[in-house]
Short mmCIF file of all heavy atoms in Angstrom, two decimals:
data_model
loop_
_atom_site.label_atom_id
_atom_site.label_comp_id
_atom_site.label_asym_id
_atom_site.label_seq_id
_atom_site.Cartn_x
_atom_site.Cartn_y
_atom_site.Cartn_z
N GLY A 110 98.36 1.12 -84.66
CA GLY A 110 97.84 1.64 -85.92
C GLY A 110 97.29 0.49 -86.75
O GLY A 110 97.18 -0.65 -86.27
N CYS A 111 96.94 0.78 -87.98
CA CYS A 111 96.42 -0.28 -88.86
C CYS A 111 96.58 0.17 -90.31
O CYS A 111 96.39 1.35 -90.62
CB CYS A 111 94.95 -0.56 -88.55
SG CYS A 111 94.29 -1.94 -89.53
N GLY A 112 96.92 -0.76 -91.16
CA GLY A 112 97.15 -0.43 -92.57
C GLY A 112 95.98 -0.74 -93.47
O GLY A 112 96.08 -0.62 -94.69
N MET A 113 94.84 -1.15 -92.90
CA MET A 113 93.73 -1.60 -93.74
C MET A 113 92.90 -0.44 -94.31
O MET A 113 92.20 -0.60 -95.29
CB MET A 113 92.82 -2.56 -92.96
CG MET A 113 93.49 -3.87 -92.59
SD MET A 113 93.92 -4.87 -94.04
CE MET A 113 95.68 -5.06 -93.80
N GLY A 114 92.93 0.70 -93.64
CA GLY A 114 92.30 1.90 -94.20
C GLY A 114 90.79 1.95 -94.17
O GLY A 114 90.20 2.75 -94.91
N CYS A 115 90.14 1.16 -93.34
CA CYS A 115 88.67 1.22 -93.28
C CYS A 115 88.24 2.67 -93.02
O CYS A 115 88.74 3.30 -92.08
CB CYS A 115 88.13 0.29 -92.19
SG CYS A 115 88.65 -1.42 -92.42
N PHE A 117 85.82 4.31 -91.85
CA PHE A 117 85.07 4.77 -90.68
C PHE A 117 85.86 4.60 -89.39
O PHE A 117 85.34 4.79 -88.30
CB PHE A 117 83.77 3.96 -90.55
CG PHE A 117 84.01 2.49 -90.71
CD1 PHE A 117 84.50 1.74 -89.66
CD2 PHE A 117 83.83 1.87 -91.94
CE1 PHE A 117 84.77 0.39 -89.83
CE2 PHE A 117 84.09 0.52 -92.12
CZ PHE A 117 84.56 -0.22 -91.05
N CYS A 118 87.15 4.21 -89.47
CA CYS A 118 87.89 3.75 -88.30
C CYS A 118 89.01 4.71 -87.92
O CYS A 118 89.86 5.04 -88.74
CB CYS A 118 88.45 2.36 -88.57
SG CYS A 118 89.49 1.76 -87.24
N ALA A 119 89.04 5.12 -86.65
CA ALA A 119 90.07 6.04 -86.18
C ALA A 119 91.44 5.37 -86.07
O ALA A 119 92.47 6.04 -86.15
CB ALA A 119 89.66 6.61 -84.82
N SER A 120 91.46 4.04 -85.92
CA SER A 120 92.75 3.36 -85.71
C SER A 120 93.66 3.43 -86.92
O SER A 120 94.87 3.27 -86.82
CB SER A 120 92.51 1.88 -85.38
OG SER A 120 91.94 1.77 -84.12
N THR A 121 93.08 3.64 -88.08
CA THR A 121 93.87 3.58 -89.31
C THR A 121 94.30 4.96 -89.79
O THR A 121 95.02 5.08 -90.78
CB THR A 121 93.07 2.85 -90.41
OG1 THR A 121 93.93 2.43 -91.44
CG2 THR A 121 91.96 3.73 -90.97
N MET A 157 89.81 -7.56 -81.41
CA MET A 157 89.01 -6.71 -82.28
C MET A 157 89.36 -5.25 -82.06
O MET A 157 88.62 -4.36 -82.46
CB MET A 157 87.53 -6.91 -81.92
CG MET A 157 86.66 -7.36 -83.05
SD MET A 157 85.01 -7.71 -82.45
CE MET A 157 84.87 -9.44 -82.84
N GLY A 158 90.49 -5.02 -81.38
CA GLY A 158 90.90 -3.64 -81.14
C GLY A 158 91.66 -3.12 -82.34
O GLY A 158 91.32 -3.40 -83.49
N MET A 159 92.72 -2.39 -82.06
CA MET A 159 93.47 -1.78 -83.14
C MET A 159 94.24 -2.83 -83.94
O MET A 159 94.88 -3.71 -83.37
CB MET A 159 94.45 -0.79 -82.49
CG MET A 159 95.20 0.07 -83.44
SD MET A 159 96.25 1.17 -82.49
CE MET A 159 95.03 2.05 -81.55
N GLY A 160 94.16 -2.72 -85.27
CA GLY A 160 94.98 -3.60 -86.11
C GLY A 160 94.20 -4.69 -86.80
O GLY A 160 93.06 -5.01 -86.43
N GLU A 161 94.80 -5.24 -87.84
CA GLU A 161 94.25 -6.40 -88.55
C GLU A 161 94.90 -7.64 -87.94
O GLU A 161 96.09 -7.91 -88.15
CB GLU A 161 94.55 -6.28 -90.05
CG GLU A 161 94.40 -7.54 -90.85
CD GLU A 161 93.07 -8.28 -90.64
OE1 GLU A 161 92.02 -7.65 -90.69
OE2 GLU A 161 93.12 -9.52 -90.42
N VAL A 194 89.33 -8.32 -91.34
CA VAL A 194 88.57 -7.72 -92.44
C VAL A 194 88.40 -8.73 -93.57
O VAL A 194 87.58 -8.54 -94.46
CB VAL A 194 89.23 -6.44 -93.02
CG1 VAL A 194 89.16 -5.30 -92.05
CG2 VAL A 194 90.61 -6.68 -93.52
N HIS A 217 80.73 -5.58 -93.18
CA HIS A 217 80.32 -4.17 -93.27
C HIS A 217 79.60 -3.78 -94.55
O HIS A 217 79.05 -2.68 -94.63
CB HIS A 217 81.49 -3.22 -93.02
CG HIS A 217 82.25 -3.50 -91.77
ND1 HIS A 217 81.64 -3.97 -90.62
CD2 HIS A 217 83.57 -3.41 -91.47
CE1 HIS A 217 82.57 -4.14 -89.68
NE2 HIS A 217 83.74 -3.82 -90.17
N CYS A 334 86.90 1.89 -81.60
CA CYS A 334 88.29 1.60 -81.92
C CYS A 334 89.11 2.84 -82.30
O CYS A 334 88.78 3.54 -83.24
CB CYS A 334 88.25 0.61 -83.08
SG CYS A 334 89.82 0.06 -83.65
S1 LIG B 401 88.35 -1.51 -88.58
FE1 LIG B 401 90.00 -2.88 -87.91
S2 LIG B 401 90.97 -3.51 -89.85
FE2 LIG B 401 89.73 -1.71 -90.35
S3 LIG B 401 91.17 0.00 -90.16
FE3 LIG B 401 90.14 -0.24 -88.16
S4 LIG B 401 91.52 -1.52 -86.95
FE4 LIG B 401 92.10 -1.75 -89.11
#
Side-chain angles (χ1 to χ4, degrees):
C111 184
M113 294 295 122
C115 303
F117 47 80
C118 175
S120 291
T121 198
M157 238 174 242
M159 187 178 299
E161 163 50 48
V194 290
H217 308 325
C334 181

